[in-house]
């Protein structure tokens, strides 16, 4: 019999549901004096600012019509996802971000929060929604003006107009500025001519392009009066009502992918396709009938980044959905590890529950701490996004900080998702490899998150360059002595900005019950000092190494930069880790329940210490940790794992997933039922007196 | 147009084929004085002892009938793989290991070498072959005796008898000794009664069980005369000629998996199914008609491990095929990185080839060095396997060493394969996510290699325990002073066995052109000292930590062991890394061509230094590296990457893959053709005088 997929088989083994405020009961008498978390309270904390929308979305996707079907052939999967998008329209889940005058909700933060939860149903649903409403529709909304909104926004929102977002080309992915597609203005007819000059300029990997897209928001070099004004976005109809390409347009199916096969990715090319002048999405740059170009943003570079910046929500939402996917894998693996037994302990008693093994704790619990940190940092990112897009904090600086923050967090959370899901799948052995237990499909689908919407390494390089430029500003005109002081070991203050999360120079203090985590100088404020000091030192080191570049030729300067590229990316990564840690520490401040706070402080310590352990060589080499303190880091991580082990189930229950979100048979309680059945079989056999005698015992009996 | 999948589009961009001995020409005039590798010679070196069989297998799978089809639905994929197994029989590739009297080739090493290459066609083909001939057939061969061979071996070899290997149960994977299925002897009828007492004792995850298997070699607790003699293997018919289960037998399909969906994994259960006494595979233990049990191996433990040890070939072959799969991914990613350009350098010239980026070299080249090391260590493992199974070195010690060696190498190479394939896929961006470019399916299929045929963590624990017991033997009766001396920093000698690879205490010396790699005390012999010293110290540390266990209760001792489980696994991993490094160093000794030796020495150094860099914190904490030497490790790795960059294509060409093995369009030369087309488009445009003027230039012109 296959395990029941959704509803637990026995009430006793059901995941405890959030208890709505009351701390949960102790699991054993011994634990009655131990702190416990208030599961419901933690769920509220994790769901964050837009908890209400997240709960609505989760409620909606309890409907099996939204659930991924393992092994579903690509063609069927694509059609089913298309239907699901229409269902989202019906259920009012498609337009939360659009202006109210077009029937939308005008709430940017809620919109992303709602979409992120769709990853629990099927990542293809989340991403196809993102293509339609977050990219195609959003380009019309963010890059177009009222006439464009009037023309297309409602149709896009209500899925009468499925569209592709035609930015990436086969020959240019991350380097959007260098795309080859041209849009040349013809004043004679007041049209733009869209053209693909060579194979590398085909648009590629576009969701909705292979089958469903009727139009595209297409990025091309805008050329008018013989001048190239750089990349702009155009609305280009693709297919007629029968689904045939319009004249001059051709394309190809990208075929089977490593995951997300519910989305019809494809390639497009254009042979001198003419579109009306009207179709230039002209919020940031316009062409008059006579072909003269105008823009409120004079700098071509700033204009380009402003246009791209309008589309940051893709990166923001990936940070959130990667975190949710990690949480789901951890719920499954930890629930299973709490029920599954393997090998007796050598003490001749019961077999050992997996989560009681030291190695198993080491594999799962630090990753759980990581996911908690990401929940907190993602909510801050989402707030920053909502601030800018609602207009409240929509300044050039606010936008730049938002983009840097998204570029720092998205790489970490998407890589962590792959790492966490893989470890969780391995921790479940053969069960983990079965598609019914979710983790392999999660890994397949999330795989591309690390290279799309900005390749992770390219994003980290953006962050690194921002850190360098902030550093340079800070020390403009400063002499060598100031620099040396900056790089000194003792510096704990943050001297450059936290990309939107923290104010310049503000030190983070008051981390809750630090007295309980005082061990060998690795308390919260010292964790912060170590993490922040590392970022500062790494940036200073790269800056010092790049200093000679000013006197070099461009070629030599590029070569010098290249030599230090890896270090700069590592510094950017360290910066992202610091932001996550700070957000976790901030989040704990909002906790009022003592037991909850204590356990979350341990978990935050585990996160911080795991980061420090990962970079231990750096701390030793740079004299930031003595050998003695460094040696204690690993022991402390081990102790924190053991200390958190009794709370592991509570901590994953606090993710607040219902059985309809989990769906993995091994996390349904079926494993506990199997273990109980096996144990009672052997107990009964022993009681019956008919149990076969082990060979060794029989031999001994014969010998006596 | 989709890229041509197999044959390169332009001869100029074709991967150079092994040049049959002659060193390849310099790529540039500057490089003419640089050492180059002899590509053909390195191919011979990598293909190793059984190169001839590997070449035969590679020739056979050039036939498209064997190639994986991305996205093929599970049912079709399963039937196609079944047909391919029949084709292997036709082409004489199924019986290389079986005795000649049954039509086999009697060559164990060649047999595994040939199967390992099948991973290039489709990993499902490799693993289904492994199930049929390496597990099911091999159990009959290795655990049965002549009457069993006469009865079933030829049918198994020639696929008239497809079979499952029914060892794992839902409730017991790695802990085979604890399986629940019983085989109770009934002297009245001279039959064994096969029975599944509870749900957890269902056989699970068995290839050939869901659809194709007509019989199984089944492991069960042998009970006779009221005594349980432990796990033995039985031949159990499963299905009739119409494919229906025989009476008392039932099962289920495991359904869609994370990969390897060409194999019909399933579950089986038995309700008092009777089989003749004859069907006990009785090489290591027998039951007489009256029910009395006999075995030539008195110790139940040793008997159990002897039986399981007969099946070590699964682990051996996974080490080889994981290495081949890693090599394929590297061939694809490095070839692409050598053609693909992205972002201009800032110097206003051409866009930069990916492999010229410092970070890209860091991502790909250390992993290439790792794969080279694995080729060498795998050939040594295969030789050890062939020695034991041919009878030449078939002693208890030889078997134990072989098993330890396989248990040390299989975890490392299978984890490395996942890491390498993933990094290669990410390094190819969106192209890497398309199934046509191979890497995603390779990752999906290889995923389960890390948990099957012995979960990697469980295998490492076996190795760790062996290291501890060798350590204990070495110091039996030794006093504290001897121990302290052992743990001293200066010790470079190996004081415990190298699990079959190296003789006790033999120091590895003469590492080739070390003069070229002398940098800051990180030469070959120092790399060896650092790697070997780390293993010794880690084992000594764990042993010291476990010393109090002797005075503790079993429960307390188990808890103490558990506290140090992670460290023991880390020590085992370090041991495996050392074995790989030593094999690489040994392999280089066989190289006569100077240029080849020089480049391979750099590559071996990159491997060694990457390992040391990964564990740098350990070296610092344990006083094995000064801060100054440690600080130079990363710089040296960077320099080696830059030094090896011009050799990267040669080094992957030396894997000797034909286009029919690679099949990834992005490694076919299509990318170079696209780049050339785009560059000549822009060159022509500039030459025509009709190129649009960049906005900045136009603005400047206006201002003047």
């Amino acid at each position: 019999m296959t395990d029941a997929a959704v509803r637990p088989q026995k009430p006793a083994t059901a995941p405890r549901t959030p208890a709505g405020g009351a701390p949960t009961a102790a699991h054993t008498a011994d634990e009655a004096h131990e702190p416990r978390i208030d599961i419901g309270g933690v769920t509220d904390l994790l769901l964050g600012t837009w908890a209400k929308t997240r709960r609505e979305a989760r409620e909606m996707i309890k409907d099996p019509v939204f659930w991924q079907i393992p092994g579903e052939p690509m063609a069927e999967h694509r059609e089913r996802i298309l239907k699901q998008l229409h269902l989202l329209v019906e259920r009012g889940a498609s337009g939360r971000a659009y202006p109210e005058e077009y029937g939308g909700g005008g709430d940017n933060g809620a919109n992303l929060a709602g979409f992120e939860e769709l990853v629990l149903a099927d990542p293809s649903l989340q991403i196809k929604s993102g293509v339609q409403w977050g990219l195609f529709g959003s380009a019309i909304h963010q890059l177009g003006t009222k006439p464009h909104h009037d023309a297309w926004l409602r149709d896009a929102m209500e899925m009468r107009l499925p569209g592709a977002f035609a930015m990436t080309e086969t020959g240019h992915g991350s380097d959007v500025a260098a795309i080859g597609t041209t849009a040349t203005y013809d004043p004679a007819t007041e049209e733009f001519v869209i053209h693909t000059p060579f194979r590398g300029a085909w648009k590629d990997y576009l969701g909705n392009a292979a089958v469903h897209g009727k139009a595209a928001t297409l990025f091309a070099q805008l050329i008018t009066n013989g001048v190239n004004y750089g990349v702009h976005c155009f609305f280009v109809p693709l297919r007629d009502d029968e689904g045939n390409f319009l004249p001059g347009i051709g394309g190809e199916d990208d075929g089977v992918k490593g995951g997300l096969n519910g989305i019809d990715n494809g390639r497009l090319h254009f042979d001198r396709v003419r579109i009306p002048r009207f179709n230039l999405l002209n919020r940031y740059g316009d062409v008059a009938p006579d072909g003269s170009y105008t823009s409120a943003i004079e700098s071509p570079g700033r204009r380009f980044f402003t246009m791209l910046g309008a589309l940051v929500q893709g990166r923001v939402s990936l940070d959130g959905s990667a975190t949710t996917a990690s949480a789901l894998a951890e719920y499954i693996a930890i629930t299973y590890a709490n029920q599954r037994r393997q090998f007796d302990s050598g003490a001749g008693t019961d077999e050992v529950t997996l989560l009681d093994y030291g190695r198993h704790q080491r594999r799962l619990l630090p990753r759980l701490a990581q996911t908690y940190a990401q929940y907190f940092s993602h909510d801050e990112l989402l707030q920053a996004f909502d601030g800018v897009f609602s207009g409240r904090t929509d300044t050039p600086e606010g936008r730049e900080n938002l983009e840097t923050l998204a570029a720092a967090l998205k790489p970490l959370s998407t890589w962590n998702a792959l790492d966490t899901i893989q470890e969780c799948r391995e921790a479940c052995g053969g069960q983990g490899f079965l598609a019914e237990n979710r983790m392999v499909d999660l890994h397949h689908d999330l795989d591309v998150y690390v290279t799309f919407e900005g390749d992770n390494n390219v994003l980290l390089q953006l962050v690194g360059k921002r850190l360098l430029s902030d550093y340079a500003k800070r020390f403009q005109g400063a002499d060598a002595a100031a620099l040396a002081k900056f790089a000194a070991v003792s510096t704990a203050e943050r001297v450059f900005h936290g990309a939107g999360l923290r104010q310049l120079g503000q030190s983070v203090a008051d981390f809750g019950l630090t007295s309980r985590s005082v061990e060998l100088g690795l308390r919260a404020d010292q964790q912060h000092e170590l993490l922040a000091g590392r970022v500062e030192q790494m940036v200073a080191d790269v800056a010092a190494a790049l200093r000679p570049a000013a006197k070099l030729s461009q070629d030599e300067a590029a070569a010098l930069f290249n030599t230090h590229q890896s270090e700069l990316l590592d510094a950017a990564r360290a910066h992202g880790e610091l932001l996550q840690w700070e957000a976790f520490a901030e989040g704990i401040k909002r906790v009022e329940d003592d037991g909850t706070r204590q356990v979350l402080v341990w978990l935050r310590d585990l996160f911080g210490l795991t980061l420090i352990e990962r970079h231990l060589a750096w701390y030793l080499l740079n004299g930031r940790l003595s050998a003695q303190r460094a040696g204690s880091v690993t022991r402390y991580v081990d102790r924190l794992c053991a200390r958190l082990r009794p709370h592991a189930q509570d901590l994953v229950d606090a993710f607040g997933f219902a059985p309809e979100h989990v769906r993995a048979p091994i996390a349904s309680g079926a494993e506990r039922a199997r273990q109980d059945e096996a144990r009672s079989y052997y107990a009964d056999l022993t009681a019956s007196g008919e149990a076969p005698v082990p060979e060794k015992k029989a031999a001994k009996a014969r010998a006596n």
Side-chain angles (χ1 to χ4, degrees), chain A:
Chain A
M1 164 207 65
T2 302
D3 299 334
V6 173
R7 282 292 167 194
Q9 294 185 299
K10 306 205 311 184
T13 61
R16 276 163 299 146
T17 44
T24 49
H27 292 187
T28 66
D30 273 357
E31 290 164 12
H33 303 289
E34 287 283 308
R36 307 297 302 179
I37 70 166
D38 163 9
I39 294 178
V42 174
T43 305
D44 291 341
L45 196 66
L46 295 178
L47 292 186
T49 311
W50 288 274
K52 182 170 158 289
T53 308
R54 292 190 190 277
R55 288 203 164 92
E56 283 167 17
R58 288 189 181 186
E59 198 55 39
M60 179 182 74
I61 57 173
K62 285 185 180 173
D63 184 341
V65 74
F66 291 110
W67 299 353
Q68 185 169 26
I69 299 171
E72 188 173 35
M74 185 172 78
E76 286 94 311
H77 194 187
R78 286 173 169 185
E79 292 311 308
R80 211 161 55 84
I81 294 286
L82 179 67
K83 278 190 202 134
Q84 289 171 1
L85 260 67
H86 287 285
L87 281 176
L88 292 188
V89 174
E90 278 177 31
R91 301 186 189 189
S94 75
R96 291 192 186 99
Y98 291 111
E100 291 174 17
E101 57 183 305
Y102 301 99
D107 188 338
N108 288 283
N111 180 56
L112 286 200
F115 276 122
E116 288 163 8
E117 298 296 326
L118 299 180
V119 79
L120 295 167
D122 185 339
S124 285
L125 174 60
Q126 185 222 340
I127 299 301
K128 180 122 171 166
S129 299
V131 168
Q132 175 65 21
W133 296 302
L135 293 173
F136 169 71
S138 188
I140 299 169
H141 180 203
Q142 301 290 339
L143 304 180
T145 47
K146 183 145 196 320
H148 303 121
H149 300 169
D150 290 344
W152 303 306
L153 215 47
R154 199 176 269 272
D155 282 350
M157 206 175 84
E158 296 174 0
M159 275 299 285
R160 284 182 299 277
L161 184 63
F165 181 76
M167 181 149 80
T168 297
E169 297 179 353
T170 306
H172 288 96
S174 297
D175 186 8
V176 177
I179 56 172
T181 304
T182 51
T184 310
Y185 183 67
D186 178 357
T189 60
E190 295 194 24
E191 289 172 319
F192 285 99
V193 182
I194 307 293
H195 187 61
T196 307
F198 45 80
R199 173 62 185 83
W202 283 27
K203 297 296 177 182
D204 209 344
Y205 320 117
L206 321 175
N208 270 339
V211 184
H212 299 140
K214 291 197 166 172
T217 44
L218 175 138
F219 290 76
Q221 306 285 350
L222 189 164
I223 298 164
T224 179
N225 291 334
V227 176
N228 183 347
Y229 288 91
V231 175
H232 287 65
C233 188
F234 302 83
F235 181 93
V236 184
L238 292 180
R239 288 184 171 89
D240 62 23
D241 287 342
E242 282 72 51
N244 303 307
F245 276 127
L246 297 173
I249 300 177
E252 261 178 10
D253 197 317
D254 275 325
V256 180
K257 305 184 298 296
L260 296 182
N261 280 306
I263 304 167
D264 56 320
N265 293 78
R267 309 178 177 114
L268 296 173
H269 52 86
F270 302 85
D271 183 12
R272 296 178 179 78
V273 173
R274 287 178 167 265
I275 56 168
R277 188 177 65 92
F278 175 85
N279 286 19
L280 168 63
L281 299 173
N282 61 350
R283 177 167 171 192
Y284 296 110
D286 203 3
V287 171
D290 70 350
S292 57
Y293 180 87
T294 51
S295 170
I297 307 176
E298 197 162 346
S299 153
R302 240 193 77 219
R303 190 192 313 135
F304 173 71
F305 286 110
T306 304
M307 283 196 257
L308 291 202
L311 305 158
V312 70
Q313 62 181 293
R315 291 171 192 171
V316 175
S317 70
L318 295 187
D319 183 59
S321 52
T323 301
T324 304
S326 302
L328 177 59
E330 278 152 8
Y331 177 85
I332 294 167
I334 286 178
T335 301
Y336 182 66
N338 242 333
Q339 301 183 4
R340 169 76 173 187
R341 292 164 182 272
Q342 182 98 307
F343 289 105
D344 68 31
S345 64
T349 51
D350 265 346
E351 290 175 304
V352 179
T353 305
L354 289 190
L355 200 54
D356 287 325
Y357 285 107
R359 184 67 155 206
H360 219 76
Q361 293 168 11
R362 264 281 188 170
R363 295 168 76 179
L364 296 178
L365 299 184
R367 289 177 171 88
L368 178 62
Q370 168 77 51
T371 300
Y372 262 70
Q374 288 176 197
Y375 265 104
F376 292 110
S377 56
H378 178 66
D379 198 58
E380 297 203 16
L381 171 61
L382 204 49
Q383 286 177 31
F385 166 75
D386 190 66
V388 168
F389 278 71
S390 68
R392 285 195 312 278
T393 55
D394 188 4
T395 61
E397 199 201 348
R399 286 195 172 242
E400 201 188 349
N401 284 348
L402 167 62
E403 282 158 37
T404 307
L405 188 55
L409 295 180
K410 179 264 187 185
L412 271 60
S413 55
T414 54
W415 270 325
N416 286 332
L418 294 190
D419 168 68
T420 294
I421 295 165
Q422 181 67 26
E423 195 68 46
C424 287
R425 112 89 194 119
E426 293 180 25
C428 296
Q431 290 280 16
F433 194 58
L434 301 185
E436 65 178 23
N437 289 321
R438 303 289 309 274
M439 291 171 288
V440 288
D441 274 330
L442 272 184
H443 195 281
H444 299 178
D445 290 332
L446 274 279
D447 183 358
V448 77
Y449 287 33
V450 303
T451 54
F452 76 178
E453 295 288 320
D455 177 272
N456 281 359
N457 281 296
V458 175
L459 292 180
L460 287 182
Q461 182 149 320
L462 287 179
V463 174
K465 287 187 169 176
R466 174 77 191 275
L467 293 174
L468 279 180
S469 83
D470 282 3
Y471 175 82
K473 274 181 213 155
R474 171 81 175 76
F475 290 104
Q476 218 152 29
D479 60 8
L483 278 172
K485 196 177 159 214
F486 171 81
V489 172
S490 63
T491 208
E493 237 181 333
R494 307 282 310 284
V495 290
F496 48 89
H497 83 102
L501 270 193
R502 300 284 168 275
Q503 293 307 308
L504 185 76
Q506 180 194 324
S507 79
V508 177
D510 180 22
F511 295 98
L513 297 177
T514 50
S515 60
R516 299 291 293 264
S517 61
V518 175
E519 299 214 18
L520 295 155
L522 295 167
R523 289 189 310 270
D525 51 354
Q526 288 155 321
Q527 290 169 37
H528 185 254
E529 181 183 327
L530 287 166
L531 295 171
R534 180 161 179 262
V535 182
E536 288 158 4
Q537 169 94 52
M538 289 175 95
V539 173
D541 287 348
V542 176
L546 295 182
R547 186 168 290 255
K551 293 171 207 146
L552 298 176
S553 73
Q554 263 193 315
D555 256 353
E556 290 166 331
L560 180 67
F561 182 85
N562 196 31
T563 310
H564 296 280
Q565 187 190 21
S566 252
E567 293 150 63
L568 183 63
L569 301 192
D570 290 343
R573 193 174 174 118
H575 177 64
E577 291 168 349
L578 171 65
L579 296 177
Q580 292 179 332
W581 188 94
E582 287 181 345
F584 200 158
E586 280 293 309
I588 292 176
K589 289 186 190 169
R590 299 198 298 276
V591 175
E592 290 176 12
D593 174 66
D594 283 343
T596 300
R597 191 163 60 249
Q598 176 60 80
V599 173
L600 291 188
V601 163
W602 288 335
L603 196 65
R604 194 270 331 274
D605 286 350
L606 179 59
F607 177 59
L609 274 291
T610 302
L611 291 176
I612 292 165
E613 185 185 43
R614 189 182 302 153
H615 307 303
L616 206 57
W618 187 93
Y619 287 107
L620 285 160
L621 279 176
N622 287 275
R624 302 238 167 191
L625 278 179
S626 67
Q628 195 202 356
R629 273 176 87 205
S632 69
V633 170
T634 292
R635 289 195 299 277
Y636 190 18
V637 168
D638 287 339
R639 267 208 299 283
L640 282 167
C641 283
R643 193 178 269 173
L644 283 162
R645 188 259 172 270
H647 304 280
Q649 191 66 50
D650 292 350
L651 288 166
V652 295
D653 286 352
F655 291 137
F657 299 131
E660 292 87 347
H661 304 128
V662 178
R663 307 197 295 277
I666 51 165
S668 68
E671 180 60 28
R672 178 161 289 158
R674 280 196 292 265
Q675 296 288 338
D676 291 348
E677 183 198 5
R679 296 200 292 168
S680 64
Y681 166 82
Y682 287 117
D684 292 349
L685 192 64
T686 304
S688 73
E690 284 168 20
V693 182
E695 182 181 3
K696 271 191 173 172
K697 216 169 166 184
K700 249 188 216 165
R702 269 199 310 276
N704 294 341

